[in-house]
Amino acid sequence: MRRQHFIVAVLSLLAAAFTGGARADDVRHFSFAYDQPHTTAYGIAGDTFAAKLAELSHNTLLIDQFPGAQLGQEPQVLQKLRTGDVDFSMTSTANAATLQPEAGVFSIHFVFGSADHLLKALSDPGVVSAFKQMVNSKVEGTRILAIGTMGLRNMYGKKEVHNVADLDNVKVRVQATATEDTMFPAYGAQTVHMPFGDVYTALQTGIVAMAENGINVYQSNKHYEVAPIMSLTQHEANNNVLWVSDKVWNSLSDEQKKWVQAAADEVAKVEPPAALGLENDSMTKLEKMGVKFVKDVDKAGFVKDAEPLQDKLAEQLGPGAVKVLQLVRGVK
């Protein structure tokens, strides 16, 4: 009987070796935090990253996802990345600007002429390399592994927006960046800063009249309940970045770093087109629910006000932002 137990044990070890199985003490678990529901493109990013990393590491590097701001809103998570209290995260590039202001270059309005231009720019090696180097060279405690997007941002509230005049003196919740605080006043709007988690109540109570975000985010957070009209201004890219804490990165072997980077590269490839698919699906579902989409927004007035500010803002942000802006414009 003992001999049979010994043979079974040996065969189990051999099977584990050939199938890539790992002992419990070889397995590491990492937190992956984001403040949007799992049903958004952040969830696609989390699932893609987790699956690819598990595959490459033979299940020795595993991801535990914490969606819906379980570990904090994006500004808080960014600080937790720097202290090593969060391992990986997806955040908007706008919030990345709280660590490195030049990251706000992706928030400059009407830089991306269309969804197609956006996808091409984010797959351009020059744009990606310049953006990552711009941020990683100046931020301590965490670094960007990949860039993604959730599409383009639109305005929503209880009123329709057909042209730039419709935003005159309107209180709009915006992301807390120098870019937003320059762009929206140029349209005549009043900017209001607040955490994303407070936007629903602010729209409900009238603290703000409008907010802006992607269609899928609008749906997943049920903002349509208190702001049933979305106007397709497509004024800004809803870009995001995949971060890793330096605490985790520096603990990895060279081989493990290659696995992590490869998994991040998979996110950069998969998430953007999938995110645009979610945008279309969400619009279809919301229209069936009675949500109104203003699809004939006259963007000319917005563009006229925005274009003179684009280069000025990039220069104020820094030379890295100027370089990235030029590279994005060069993508055809």
Side-chain angles (χ1 to χ4, degrees):
M1 184 65 71
R2 288 182 180 178
R3 183 181 179 187
Q4 289 178 330
H5 286 167
F6 175 76
I7 292 173
V8 169
V10 170
L11 290 175
S12 297
L13 288 172
L14 289 172
F18 281 108
T19 59
R23 298 195 310 263
D25 56 357
D26 290 331
V27 176
R28 295 180 63 184
H29 283 259
F30 301 98
S31 59
F32 190 112
Y34 46 96
D35 73 357
Q36 293 298 321
H38 184 260
T39 52
T40 64
Y42 279 9
I44 292 174
D47 290 347
T48 301
F49 186 72
K52 193 65 176 180
L53 186 57
E55 173 194 333
L56 295 172
S57 70
H58 307 292
N59 292 315
T60 60
L61 303 181
L62 302 179
I63 297 297
D64 300 320
Q65 294 186 56
F66 295 88
Q70 292 180 53
L71 300 185
Q73 300 286 337
E74 288 188 2
Q76 290 75 43
V77 168
L78 285 167
Q79 294 305 319
K80 289 180 178 180
L81 282 163
R82 298 178 73 188
T83 58
D85 295 311
V86 166
D87 300 323
F88 295 93
S89 179
M90 287 290 288
T91 77
S92 68
T93 55
N95 279 319
T98 62
L99 297 187
Q100 216 297 45
E102 287 178 296
V105 65
F106 277 164
S107 296
I108 296 176
H109 290 190
F110 298 103
V111 168
F112 300 96
S114 65
D116 183 60
H117 179 222
L118 174 60
L119 290 181
K120 288 180 179 178
L122 295 188
S123 62
D124 182 87
V127 172
V128 174
S129 177
F131 189 89
K132 288 169 65 175
Q133 196 278 332
M134 177 183 71
V135 175
N136 291 345
S137 64
K138 295 184 179 180
V139 174
E140 296 181 355
T142 185
R143 67 186 63 208
I144 291 174
L145 293 172
I147 305 173
T149 191
M150 301 171 86
L152 297 166
R153 298 173 78 92
N154 305 290
M155 303 293 302
Y156 55 90
K158 294 183 176 69
K159 64 173 287 186
E160 298 180 12
V161 174
H162 291 276
N163 53 58
V164 69
D166 290 330
L167 283 186
D168 192 41
N169 289 320
V170 174
K171 289 185 177 180
V172 182
R173 181 270 174 179
V174 302
Q175 300 169 101
T177 72
T179 305
E180 309 286 24
D181 287 342
T182 299
M183 284 294 183
F184 279 95
Y187 309 140
Q190 300 178 42
T191 59
V192 180
H193 298 165
M194 67 180 62
F196 180 80
D198 296 340
V199 174
Y200 184 103
T201 301
L203 287 164
Q204 184 179 44
T205 58
I207 293 175
V208 296
M210 304 198 80
E212 46 91 48
N213 217 309
I215 303 171
N216 181 247
V217 170
Y218 169 70
Q219 179 200 15
S220 296
N221 291 276
K222 299 185 177 181
H223 286 185
Y224 60 86
E225 294 178 348
V226 291
I229 301 172
M230 174 173 271
S231 303
L232 302 184
T233 51
Q234 297 183 323
H235 54 275
E236 178 183 334
N238 211 15
N239 291 348
N240 40 69
V241 285
L242 172 55
W243 300 89
V244 60
S245 74
D246 280 352
K247 181 179 179 181
V248 167
W249 186 253
N250 294 334
S251 74
L252 301 175
S253 68
D254 289 343
E255 183 178 35
Q256 290 171 329
K257 287 178 180 177
K258 290 179 181 178
W259 295 339
V260 169
Q261 185 59 62
D265 293 342
E266 186 73 5
V267 172
K269 180 175 70 175
V270 170
E271 189 231 35
L276 294 185
L278 284 181
E279 293 290 276
N280 293 330
D281 291 345
S282 289
M283 182 185 290
T284 299
K285 292 175 182 177
L286 288 167
E287 284 183 318
K288 290 180 179 178
M289 295 167 59
V291 173
K292 181 170 185 178
F293 287 88
V294 179
K295 300 178 182 179
D296 61 346
V297 177
D298 181 5
K299 299 178 187 176
F302 288 100
V303 173
K304 182 180 178 181
D305 290 337
E307 283 186 337
L309 298 174
Q310 291 175 345
D311 290 313
K312 179 181 177 181
L313 271 170
E315 290 171 4
Q316 290 175 349
L317 291 172
V322 172
K323 179 179 179 180
V324 170
L325 177 59
Q326 292 173 342
L327 289 169
V328 168
R329 285 173 170 167
V331 174
K332 303 300 181 183

